Coordinates of all heavy atoms in Angstrom, one line a residue:
P15 N 100.7 67.6 127.7 CA 100.9 67.1 126.4 C 101.9 68.0 125.5 O 102.3 67.5 124.4 CB 99.5 67.2 125.7 CG 98.8 68.3 126.5 CD 99.4 68.3 127.9
V28 N 120.6 95.2 115.6 CA 120.2 96.3 114.9 C 120.9 97.6 115.4 O 121.5 97.5 116.5 CB 118.6 96.6 115.0 CG1 117.8 95.4 114.4 CG2 118.2 96.8 116.4
D51 N 120.9 99.8 125.1 CA 121.5 98.9 124.1 C 120.8 97.6 123.9 O 121.3 96.7 123.2 CB 123.0 98.5 124.4 CG 123.9 99.8 124.4 OD1 123.6 100.7 123.5 OD2 124.8 99.8 125.1
H62 N 111.7 84.6 124.4 CA 112.1 86.1 124.4 C 112.9 86.4 123.1 O 113.8 85.7 122.8 CB 112.9 86.5 125.6 CG 112.0 86.5 126.8 ND1 112.6 86.7 128.1 CD2 110.7 86.5 127.0 CE1 111.6 86.8 129.0 NE2 110.5 86.6 128.3
E66 N 119.4 93.5 120.2 CA 120.7 94.0 120.6 C 121.2 95.0 119.7 O 120.9 95.0 118.5 CB 121.7 92.8 120.7 CG 121.2 91.7 121.6 CD 122.1 90.5 121.5 OE1 122.2 90.0 120.4 OE2 122.7 90.1 122.6
F80 N 115.3 84.3 112.2 CA 114.1 83.5 112.7 C 112.9 83.9 111.8 O 113.0 84.9 111.1 CB 113.8 83.8 114.2 CG 113.7 85.3 114.5 CD1 112.6 86.0 114.2 CD2 114.8 86.0 115.0 CE1 112.5 87.3 114.4 CE2 114.7 87.3 115.2 CZ 113.6 88.0 114.9
D85 N 98.8 81.9 114.0 CA 97.7 81.0 113.8 C 96.9 81.4 112.6 O 96.4 80.7 111.8 CB 96.8 80.9 115.1 CG 97.5 80.1 116.2 OD1 98.3 79.2 115.9 OD2 97.1 80.3 117.3
D86 N 96.7 82.8 112.6 CA 95.8 83.3 111.5 C 96.7 84.1 110.5 O 96.9 85.3 110.7 CB 94.7 84.2 112.1 CG 93.7 84.7 111.1 OD1 94.0 84.7 109.8 OD2 92.6 85.0 111.5
E89 N 95.2 87.2 108.8 CA 95.0 88.4 109.6 C 96.4 89.0 109.8 O 96.5 90.3 109.9 CB 94.4 88.0 111.0 CG 94.3 89.2 111.9 CD 93.5 90.4 111.4 OE1 92.5 90.2 110.6 OE2 93.9 91.6 111.7
R95 N 99.9 95.1 106.4 CA 99.5 96.1 105.4 C 98.9 97.3 106.1 O 99.2 98.4 105.8 CB 98.5 95.5 104.5 CG 99.1 94.3 103.7 CD 99.3 94.8 102.2 NE 100.1 93.8 101.5 CZ 99.8 93.3 100.3 NH1 98.7 93.8 99.7 NH2 100.6 92.5 99.7
R105 N 102.6 83.1 99.8 CA 103.1 81.9 99.1 C 102.6 80.7 99.9 O 102.4 80.8 101.1 CB 104.6 82.0 99.1 CG 105.1 83.0 98.1 CD 106.6 83.0 98.0 NE 107.4 83.4 99.1 CZ 107.5 84.7 99.5 NH1 106.9 85.6 98.9 NH2 108.3 85.0 100.6
R111 N 101.7 78.4 104.6 CA 101.5 79.6 103.8 C 102.4 80.7 104.5 O 102.5 80.7 105.7 CB 100.0 80.0 103.8 CG 99.2 79.0 103.1 CD 97.7 79.3 103.2 NE 97.4 80.6 102.6 CZ 96.6 81.5 103.2 NH1 96.0 81.3 104.3 NH2 96.3 82.7 102.6
G117 N 111.5 94.4 107.4 CA 111.6 94.6 108.8 C 112.5 95.7 109.2 O 113.0 96.5 108.3
G120 N 116.0 97.0 107.3 CA 116.2 96.3 106.0 C 116.2 94.7 106.1 O 116.3 94.1 105.1
R122 N 114.7 91.1 106.2 CA 113.6 90.5 105.5 C 113.1 89.4 106.5 O 113.8 88.5 106.9 CB 114.0 89.8 104.2 CG 112.8 89.3 103.4 CD 113.2 88.7 102.1 NE 113.9 87.5 102.3 CZ 115.1 87.2 101.8 NH1 115.7 88.1 101.1 NH2 115.6 86.0 102.1

Side-chain angles (χ1 to χ4, degrees):
V28 295
D51 293 331
H62 285 172
E66 302 171 301
F80 51 81
D85 287 334
D86 188 338
E89 180 53 39
R95 297 253 170 133
R105 290 185 286 289
R111 293 175 61 226
R122 188 177 70 235

